[in-house]
Amino acid sequence: MLRPSTQRYSVTRPLYSEDAFEDEHAKVYRKHKTFLHHVIQYFTCTSERAKNTAISLLPIIGWMKTYSFKEWLLNDILSGVSTGLVAVLQGLAFSLLASIPTWYGLYAAFFPVIMYFFLGTSRHISVGSFPVLSLMVGAVVTRLVPDEGLPANITAFEGLTKEEQRVLVSASLTFLVGLFQLGMGLLQVGFIVMYLSDTLISGFTTAAAVHILISQLKFVLGLTVPGFSGPLSIIYTLESVFTQITSTNIHDLVTSIVVMVMVLGVKEINDRFKSKLKVPIPIEIIMTVIACGVSYAFNFSENHGVDVVGKIPNTFESPIAPSLQVFQMAAVDAFPIAIVGFAVAFAVAKVYSVKHDYVIDGNQELIAFGASNIFGGAFKSLAASTALSRSAVQESTGGKTQVAGLLSAIIVLVVILGIGFLLEPLPKSVLGAVVIVNLKGMLMQVVTVPYLWKKDRPDCIVWVGTCLAAIFLGLDIGLAVGLGLELLTVVFRAQFPRCSVLANISGTDIYRDRKDYVNIYEPEGVKIFRIPSPIFFANIDFFRDKLKDAVGFNPLRILRKRNKAVKKMKKLLKKGDNEDLETALANLRASTTESKVNWNAELPANIQVPPVNIHSLVLDFSVVSFLDISALKGLKAAIKEFIRINVDVYIVGCDPYIIEKLRNCKFFDDEIKTSIFFLTIHDAMLFINESHPPKTVTVFILHTVLHAE
């Protein structure tokens, strides 16, 4: 194989302007479909399309056809059991974040999983409660049903206890989240997740982890802390915790510390030896069993005042209808919950789909999660998404399909109906410790800040701004702030692009930024200006200012100076017979057309006009993807300013569709013609060297080399 430095290629072709290229190469005419045609096509039904739609809406039909019972079933069973045990523990723990009784967290590991089994396109994510979503639900719950004071004025609250009121709020909110997700899925707007960048999600989840950590302090320390919501709620929570710090329950604290140390230690072992361990050590389950046994043996609840899980009903509760009043009061909160839940689940699903080589559908995922949350909300479940750690367990233990998810739901079912009573003595401080330990991955995302600051400062600002806003102003406002910052960075990058002046790499047809290379030649009398972004109303003035900086003068100012110079000389002539002035005016028009004069000639009477040291300007449009009407007008004005001071303007690499738009918008006239467009910079440079023969030996050599190619 040849080394790159020894490879050569040679191409011989005519010099092409856009006009010459179109004359020589006929374009294919393509008839564009009308809006009516698209509507008719969308509602046209065929047997093949009906089949594809059915498979799309029920992905289980597709993957069950290829399910290998011999190779996959055992792996799915093992994965389902492991994931189910983790789902039970996390369901109990995450329900604390939502400020509802613990067993409702188990419902989130059962009802949504059943629905996702039929509708989901990911084969590896574990559907169920997610700490960030649980916390966002909890903020709404505590706002409508506060720990202290009267609940919101909702008719459906009449005759219900505080716990039942909170469950109604949680279930109604989950139902509404599902409606939002289902609606977005049916409207095919799964692309909306693209507006949540990895940087934004990282900063947001880090802030959520801080909120979760603070919210679990009351369980770890055994304190009674009222729930706060809204801006600065984290400050009020910390204030309440520290004012009661002397009332810490030492049994809760010691139990939490022991559980956290053991779980963190064994998780580290699992990570270090994951290649040798077929199944990770289920340390969380082990510590839960031990804590239940110790709590039951020493009667922690009565003897030491430890808050425990308590009674877990061994049956499912009847489904309920959501409250429309809760819908009205929580609609603003439900939409960001729907977006965050889908974004996190889709991001995790995308990772596993790439790893295991299959395709996921964003719109179908929205439909699947929407239906799952509607179904779960009707049965008082928490809002469902996916937890990263639980999905990792399902995938790492050999799970191949959502059969593993279905089996995990069966494990949860067994716990609810059969052995849930064994978890009744479990201290809530243990659940709090488990939650805190599972925050490690999200909290460690803070180490990306120095990297972002060095590599991409706008992204770093998005991360830090989102994180701080979400911590101090609340998760909902924080998400809105993050989106605002993200859009500002996009606008900033597009509005203030890095424009550059190009020069020729000697002996080649390659043109690069003149500041970046040593062996580079800038053609005499020519400026090559690159615009590395779309040109639109917000950046057209910036583009024109940068263009003036690049050429070193303001063409409009030059034109005004020249007009003033001509008027001044004419006035001097009228005052008297001045042969020098007559000769000067004659020389100004020598060897030129009537509309152009040679302003490089010496001017009499100390008349000064700023010099113009270029005769040609090349605009590289190779990365300009679109022009709007405002930019079109500004570009036309800028080109005319240069033409009127005898500077020829050429545009290269322009997309044919932009040229077509220019034609349709009456861009071309007597001054600006289609002949100024060339295929490449090199084509334009060859044409310029023909129009303006080189004057120095160096330029002459370059001119000869260019034509020899």
Side-chain angles (χ1 to χ4, degrees):
M1 184 176 180
L2 293 174
R3 292 181 302 160
S5 59
T6 63
Q7 294 177 354
R8 297 285 187 271
Y9 79 88
S10 177
V11 177
T12 302
R13 66 169 177 81
L15 183 157
Y16 280 128
S17 66
E18 287 285 351
D19 289 344
F21 186 80
E22 287 189 9
D23 290 341
E24 188 169 325
H25 301 275
K27 294 179 69 174
V28 176
Y29 174 74
R30 289 181 293 176
K31 186 177 180 180
H32 295 286
K33 296 178 181 178
T34 63
F35 176 74
L36 180 60
H37 187 278
H38 283 290
V39 172
I40 294 172
Q41 188 178 28
Y42 184 80
F43 287 103
T44 301
C45 183
T46 62
S47 58
E48 185 66 23
R49 188 171 183 184
K51 177 184 174 182
N52 293 336
T53 302
I55 294 175
S56 174
L57 290 175
L58 291 171
I60 186 175
I61 298 173
W63 61 262
M64 280 299 284
K65 288 181 180 179
T66 60
Y67 190 84
S68 175
F69 286 88
K70 184 177 179 180
E71 296 180 9
W72 294 356
L73 185 58
L74 185 60
N75 286 330
D76 278 340
I77 291 173
L78 178 62
S79 174
V81 172
S82 303
T83 307
L85 293 173
V86 175
V88 168
L89 186 58
Q90 290 189 347
L92 293 171
F94 296 160
S95 62
L96 299 178
L97 300 172
S99 302
I100 59 176
T102 51
W103 63 86
Y104 291 105
L106 297 178
Y107 293 175
F110 179 74
F111 291 108
V113 177
I114 301 297
M115 190 62 69
Y116 189 85
F117 174 75
F118 294 100
L119 300 177
T121 59
S122 175
R123 303 176 189 175
H124 293 90
I125 64 171
S126 174
V127 176
S129 54
F130 178 54
V132 176
L133 253 63
S134 299
L135 186 68
M136 296 176 79
V137 170
V140 179
V141 168
T142 53
R143 175 165 59 84
L144 298 184
V145 188
D147 290 324
E148 300 174 356
L150 296 175
N153 186 19
I154 296 175
T155 306
F157 282 176
E158 293 180 6
L160 300 181
T161 64
K162 179 172 287 188
E163 276 191 356
E164 290 171 338
Q165 291 173 350
R166 289 189 166 186
V167 170
L168 177 62
V169 172
S170 172
S172 300
L173 182 60
T174 299
F175 196 97
L176 183 57
V177 167
L179 287 177
F180 277 130
Q181 291 175 330
L182 182 62
M184 289 189 290
L186 293 175
L187 292 173
Q188 304 285 293
V189 292
F191 65 87
I192 196 169
V193 74
M194 297 177 185
Y195 294 98
L196 300 178
S197 68
D198 292 342
T199 305
L200 184 147
I201 291 176
S202 175
F204 178 78
T205 52
T206 302
V210 174
H211 275 281
I212 295 168
L213 175 63
I214 301 301
S215 71
Q216 294 307 292
L217 290 179
K218 64 180 180 181
F219 299 110
V220 170
L221 301 175
L223 303 175
T224 302
V225 178
F228 298 98
S229 61
L232 302 181
S233 60
I234 194 169
I235 303 297
Y236 301 138
T237 301
L238 284 173
E239 180 187 19
S240 181
V241 168
F242 284 115
T243 54
Q244 301 179 56
I245 199 72
T246 54
S247 303
T248 299
N249 187 316
I250 195 66
H251 297 86
D252 274 321
L253 180 59
V254 171
T255 302
S256 300
I257 292 173
V258 170
V259 170
M260 283 190 283
V261 170
M262 290 298 297
V263 173
L264 281 173
V266 176
K267 275 182 174 286
E268 189 66 29
I269 293 172
N270 285 339
D271 288 340
R272 187 164 296 183
F273 299 101
K274 61 183 177 182
S275 58
K276 298 180 180 180
L277 294 170
K278 291 185 177 181
V279 179
I281 301 171
I283 184 60
E284 294 166 320
I285 306 299
I286 294 171
M287 293 306 298
T288 300
V289 172
I290 294 173
C292 281
V294 173
S295 176
Y296 178 77
F298 293 96
N299 199 2
F300 273 12
S301 178
E302 294 184 7
N303 295 341
H304 304 290
V306 173
D307 193 12
V308 297
V309 170
K311 181 68 175 177
I312 297 180
N314 60 352
T315 183
F316 288 111
E317 297 184 15
S318 301
I320 59 171
S323 169
L324 295 180
Q325 286 179 290
V326 173
F327 281 7
Q328 293 175 349
M329 295 182 179
V332 175
D333 304 278
F335 188 73
I337 293 174
I339 296 296
V340 171
F342 169 65
V344 171
F346 186 74
V348 176
K350 191 162 58 173
V351 170
Y352 290 128
S353 70
V354 171
K355 182 177 179 180
H356 294 279
D357 193 24
Y358 62 90
V359 178
I360 56 172
D361 183 347
N363 292 314
Q364 181 60 28
E365 285 294 291
L366 271 171
I367 292 172
F369 276 103
S372 298
N373 280 317
I374 290 172
F375 185 54
F379 285 91
K380 305 179 182 179
S381 163
L382 267 173
S385 179
T386 185
L388 281 66
S389 58
R390 194 170 62 247
S391 294
V393 169
Q394 180 164 318
E395 191 268 343
S396 64
T397 51
K400 300 296 183 183
T401 65
Q402 281 300 326
V403 170
L406 183 64
L407 291 172
S408 73
I410 293 174
I411 297 296
V412 175
L413 179 66
V414 170
V415 171
I416 294 173
L417 300 181
I419 60 174
F421 67 93
L422 296 175
L423 296 172
E424 291 178 1
L426 179 64
K428 288 185 178 179
S429 57
V430 173
L431 296 177
V434 169
V435 170
I436 291 173
V437 168
N438 279 285
L439 297 176
K440 178 187 173 184
M442 288 193 284
L443 290 172
M444 289 302 293
Q445 293 176 128
V446 73
V447 300
T448 62
V449 174
Y451 173 82
L452 288 173
W453 181 252
K454 291 179 181 177
K455 303 299 182 182
D456 197 327
R457 292 191 178 181
D459 265 1
C460 184
I461 292 171
V462 171
W463 196 102
V464 173
T466 303
C467 187
L468 292 178
I471 288 174
F472 293 107
L473 302 179
L475 295 179
D476 49 353
I477 298 177
L479 181 62
V481 170
L483 282 169
L485 288 173
E486 194 170 56
L487 291 175
L488 282 176
T489 61
V490 172
V491 171
F492 179 82
R493 293 175 199 265
Q495 189 170 349
F496 305 105
R498 183 184 176 273
C499 299
S500 56
V501 176
L502 306 185
N504 177 254
I505 303 292
S506 298
T508 73
D509 61 349
I510 299 171
Y511 296 82
R512 291 290 185 267
D513 191 331
R514 65 181 178 181
K515 298 178 181 178
D516 295 340
Y517 294 88
V518 176
N519 187 25
I520 198 164
Y521 171 77
E522 188 172 2
E524 189 174 306
V526 181
K527 286 290 181 185
I528 308 171
F529 186 73
R530 170 168 287 171
I531 306 97
S533 77
I535 306 177
F536 57 106
F537 68 94
N539 69 0
I540 182 62
D541 290 333
F542 176 82
F543 157 70
R544 294 180 68 176
D545 290 340
K546 283 295 180 182
L547 183 57
K548 293 170 187 175
D549 293 340
V551 298
F553 57 84
N554 183 334
L556 191 58
R557 180 171 174 270
I558 297 291
L559 182 62
R560 289 171 179 167
K561 288 282 187 181
R562 289 181 178 183
N563 290 336
K564 286 182 179 179
V566 171
K567 289 179 180 178
K568 187 174 183 180
M569 285 187 283
K570 287 181 177 179
K571 285 181 180 179
L572 290 173
L573 278 173
K574 289 180 180 179
K575 290 181 179 179
D577 185 16
N578 190 321
E579 293 184 2
D580 291 339
L581 286 175
E582 289 180 356
T583 303
L585 284 171
N587 289 336
L588 284 173
R589 294 177 173 81
S591 68
T592 65
T593 63
E594 291 182 0
S595 60
K596 294 183 178 180
V597 294
N598 182 12
W599 288 99
N600 292 323
E602 184 178 350
L603 301 178
N606 294 323
I607 297 174
Q608 299 293 325
V609 175
V612 175
N613 55 4
I614 64 171
H615 53 71
S616 301
L617 173 64
V618 180
L619 303 178
D620 182 4
F621 272 36
S622 57
V623 290
V624 176
S625 56
F626 72 86
L627 285 167
D628 67 5
I629 297 299
S630 299
L632 187 147
K633 292 178 180 177
L635 177 65
K636 187 172 184 176
I639 292 175
K640 286 191 174 185
E641 288 174 5
F642 281 99
I643 291 175
R644 288 167 184 173
I645 61 169
N646 306 337
V647 174
D648 298 327
V649 180
Y650 304 94
I651 298 176
V652 301
C654 190
D655 190 294
Y657 293 101
I658 293 181
I659 298 177
E660 188 63 29
K661 181 176 181 178
L662 295 178
R663 285 196 180 100
N664 294 335
C665 295
K666 310 298 182 184
F667 180 80
F668 301 107
D669 54 25
D670 293 339
E671 289 183 279
I672 303 177
K673 305 180 185 301
T674 56
S675 58
I676 69 172
F677 287 85
F678 285 82
L679 291 187
T680 67
I681 299 176
H682 204 54
D683 285 302
M685 287 303 303
L686 290 173
F687 181 81
I688 290 169
N689 281 330
E690 286 287 346
S691 305
H692 300 273
K695 298 179 181 179
T696 65
V697 175
T698 306
V699 177
F700 178 76
I701 293 172
L702 175 66
H703 173 76
T704 305
V705 170
L706 288 172
H707 278 72
E709 294 174 355

